[in-house]
Amino acid sequence: MIDVGGTEGGVRLRPPRHRVARRAVLWWSCQAVSRVAVLLLALGGAAWWLPAVREWLVIALIVCGVLGIGYVAVMPWWRYRVHRWETTDSAVYTAAGWVSREWRVAPMSRIQTVDTARGPLQRALGLSSVTVTTASAAGPLSIDGLERDVAAELAERLTRTTQATPGDAT
């Protein structure tokens, strides 16, 4: 483990324990299907309206369709396998990514804001995202695909803990 705090009682970078909600797979699948569908519709429309290059566009359509099926089938489950989160009294831990993996830790003393977000599909699936903004140049930590109640409790707990933690979040 890596000592992030630089002190004897520092925060250690380690794998987080909690998985996101299993329904996140459906949420990520719907997002993937919509992305692939937009691409295929654009290629199909271009093939329809551009007869001079129709043959090449149909080939591109077929290739993108095959790759798109693989993307829709693999990406959501892979993300579910990789995405983890955990909070302790001293830090927030996240692991994310599906092509490149990223482990992050945010000490409570560095947290500036805690936000929750729920898009229409997330609301329909009972999911929510929590974003933890820190003074880090790496940007905020995002925990996507949480159960709505878990996300609300997490945001409340992080807010209470950061308010009680000494430091100026810089």
Side-chain angles (χ1 to χ4, degrees):
M1 288 195 272
I2 301 168
D3 184 5
V4 178
T7 63
E8 197 172 295
V11 176
R12 299 248 181 229
L13 184 59
R14 59 181 173 71
R17 285 193 293 233
H18 306 295
R19 282 185 186 251
V20 298
R22 192 170 182 99
R23 284 193 308 266
V25 173
L26 180 57
W27 177 50
W28 290 322
S29 295
C30 291
Q31 289 177 325
V33 166
S34 65
R35 288 182 188 122
V36 170
V38 166
L39 176 63
L40 296 179
L41 286 171
L43 285 171
W48 178 264
W49 291 105
L50 301 170
V53 290
R54 182 172 292 148
E55 184 178 312
W56 291 107
L57 289 171
V58 168
I59 291 170
L61 181 70
I62 292 168
V63 169
C64 288
V66 169
L67 293 175
I69 289 169
Y71 172 70
V72 169
V74 172
M75 181 276 296
W77 288 102
W78 187 260
R79 284 183 76 176
Y80 179 72
R81 184 177 166 272
V82 170
H83 282 220
R84 299 277 189 282
W85 67 278
E86 182 180 355
T87 61
T88 65
D89 289 338
S90 59
V92 177
Y93 300 86
T94 63
W98 73 279
V99 173
S100 62
R101 293 187 188 178
E102 176 181 72
W103 279 6
R104 304 236 352 242
V105 60
M108 290 294 178
S109 62
R110 301 289 306 253
I111 294 175
Q112 296 176 327
T113 62
V114 178
D115 303 300
T116 59
R118 298 178 65 212
L121 186 55
Q122 284 177 302
R123 283 194 304 272
L125 295 171
L127 298 173
S128 189
S129 295
V130 174
T131 303
V132 178
T133 306
T134 67
S136 169
L141 280 78
S142 185
I143 307 170
D144 297 320
L146 296 176
E147 297 282 349
R148 182 187 70 223
D149 296 339
V150 171
E153 191 277 323
L154 175 60
E156 185 179 318
R157 179 174 179 257
L158 287 174
T159 300
R160 274 193 321 267
T161 304
T162 56
Q163 287 174 345
T165 302
D168 62 358
T170 59

